[in-house]
Amino acid sequence: MPTLRSLFDINYELVLFASGLVFFVVGLAVSLQSRRLSRLQLARSLSWLAMFGVAQGLHEWGLLFIPIQALYMDHLWISLLQLLQVMLLGAAYYALLAFGADLLQEKWPRLWSVTHLLLLLWMAGIVWLERRSTLGMGWLQQQATILANYVLAFPGALLAAYGLRFQAERQIKALNLRSIYNTTLVASLTLVLFGLFSALFVPYGDFFPSNVLNQSLLVGWTGVPQPVFLSIIGLILAIAVTRVLEVFDLETDRIIDQMRLEQGVLTERHRIGRELHD
């Protein structure tokens, strides 16, 4: 176990880069997929998932690059970069909440109010922490990250997971696309795992449960840092989401086939009409 821990300590920068990359790929893959012709609710909600992937990826890369920039930049600029990183994390987790709320708006229309309330609660917590201590931006960033995981990431991941499952049962299953339906369930389960790892293993904090359940405990149990698990979860999510996106291509093919059939029927009616006229 100490050997495994040393291996990840030596290559921790690579771990952070890989973790950011897989989530950035999720956001990029979703944003590049054309969904204009789709009639599925999932198509209108995926922009939130793209925002989550890109913002989460940029946040993870910030953990890698901001300490490097601290060697060359003024302390004020580093504090601003840390604040931007906190805002990116909040935007990522809010997008995850919004993704779930959008998928479930027909079932629970008031969920949007809950997402706004949770975001305001997190922001109020940051203001309270800032006024409570003078330990600096580094400490505030750590505490704000813990609050974001508890208040936004965990409920957002569960909500998004249930929303995906709801849409899979409601629309994808009706298209008789069994493999894509199963892959959607895999993506849903992956989001649950993301929420659990984000909420259970946060940075060490001054309050319960972060002073008991945290990333140091996870490393002590497994010898593997949290970003490694998040990288694996992100990779599975990227593969699953890429597979789920195929539903829009198949839906477009069916629309085109239907249009061709209708065009054929219309052409045949014109032909019969001309023969009757003659």
Side-chain angles (χ1 to χ4, degrees):
M1 191 68 70
T3 304
L4 182 63
R5 186 180 305 176
S6 300
L7 176 65
F8 285 116
D9 286 341
I10 295 172
N11 298 282
Y12 191 68
E13 290 78 9
L14 292 176
V15 170
L16 289 176
F17 180 78
S19 178
L21 181 62
V22 291
F23 285 103
F24 192 83
V25 167
V26 171
L28 191 63
V30 173
S31 63
L32 292 178
Q33 172 68 38
S34 177
R35 305 180 296 274
R36 290 176 298 176
L37 298 177
S38 179
R39 301 173 183 146
L40 301 178
Q41 174 62 39
L42 181 61
R44 295 184 287 275
S45 305
L46 278 175
S47 297
W48 290 110
L49 185 62
M51 178 180 172
F52 160 71
V54 171
Q56 178 70 15
L58 292 175
H59 171 267
E60 294 293 318
W61 284 338
L63 296 174
L64 172 62
F65 292 110
I66 290 179
I68 297 175
Q69 297 300 315
L71 300 175
Y72 309 101
M73 297 180 66
D74 184 78
H75 177 72
L76 176 61
W77 287 104
I78 296 301
S79 297
L80 291 175
L81 287 176
Q82 290 174 324
L83 178 61
L84 176 61
Q85 189 180 13
V86 170
M87 294 299 103
L88 278 173
L89 186 65
Y93 292 162
Y94 175 75
L96 199 57
L97 270 169
F99 177 58
D102 207 39
L103 290 174
L104 294 167
Q105 64 177 346
E106 295 182 9
K107 186 175 184 179
W108 296 321
R110 296 185 179 180
L111 271 179
W112 276 107
S113 300
V114 176
T115 63
H116 298 155
L117 179 62
L118 290 174
L119 181 63
L120 290 174
L121 180 63
W122 175 67
M123 296 175 68
I126 294 177
V127 173
W128 180 78
L129 287 170
E130 194 274 333
R131 294 184 176 181
R132 176 174 172 264
S133 175
T134 58
L135 295 178
M137 188 61 206
W139 178 87
L140 180 62
Q141 180 187 20
Q142 183 178 10
Q143 304 306 307
T145 299
I146 296 171
L147 284 179
N149 288 335
Y150 289 154
V151 178
L152 300 177
F154 184 63
L158 295 185
L159 197 64
Y162 182 69
L164 269 180
R165 183 177 180 85
F166 176 74
Q167 292 298 328
E169 294 287 345
R170 185 174 177 270
Q171 293 188 322
I172 296 180
K173 194 173 184 179
L175 295 174
N176 198 27
L177 302 173
R178 190 67 185 180
S179 62
I180 295 181
Y181 168 78
N182 291 333
T183 307
T184 307
L185 298 185
V186 171
S188 175
L189 178 60
T190 305
L191 286 172
V192 173
L193 291 176
F194 175 83
L196 289 175
F197 271 91
S198 297
L200 292 179
F201 304 110
V202 297
Y204 180 85
D206 299 332
F207 53 90
F208 182 82
S210 61
N211 57 355
V212 179
L213 283 173
N214 49 59
Q215 295 177 5
S216 299
L217 181 65
L218 179 64
V219 174
W221 283 351
T222 65
V224 181
Q226 188 213 36
V228 175
F229 291 100
L230 291 183
S231 297
I232 296 172
I233 291 171
L235 180 60
I236 297 172
L237 183 63
I239 296 172
V241 168
T242 302
R243 178 74 175 113
V244 170
L245 291 177
E246 293 180 10
V247 70
F248 302 116
D249 295 330
L250 295 174
E251 184 189 16
T252 301
D253 291 341
R254 292 189 178 187
I255 292 174
I256 293 174
D257 290 340
Q258 182 65 27
M259 291 174 62
R260 287 174 177 172
L261 179 60
E262 292 176 355
Q263 182 63 35
V265 171
L266 186 61
T267 301
E268 184 65 17
R269 286 179 178 174
H270 283 312
R271 184 188 65 80
I272 295 174
R274 286 196 302 269
E275 290 180 353
L276 293 175
H277 180 268
D278 293 342

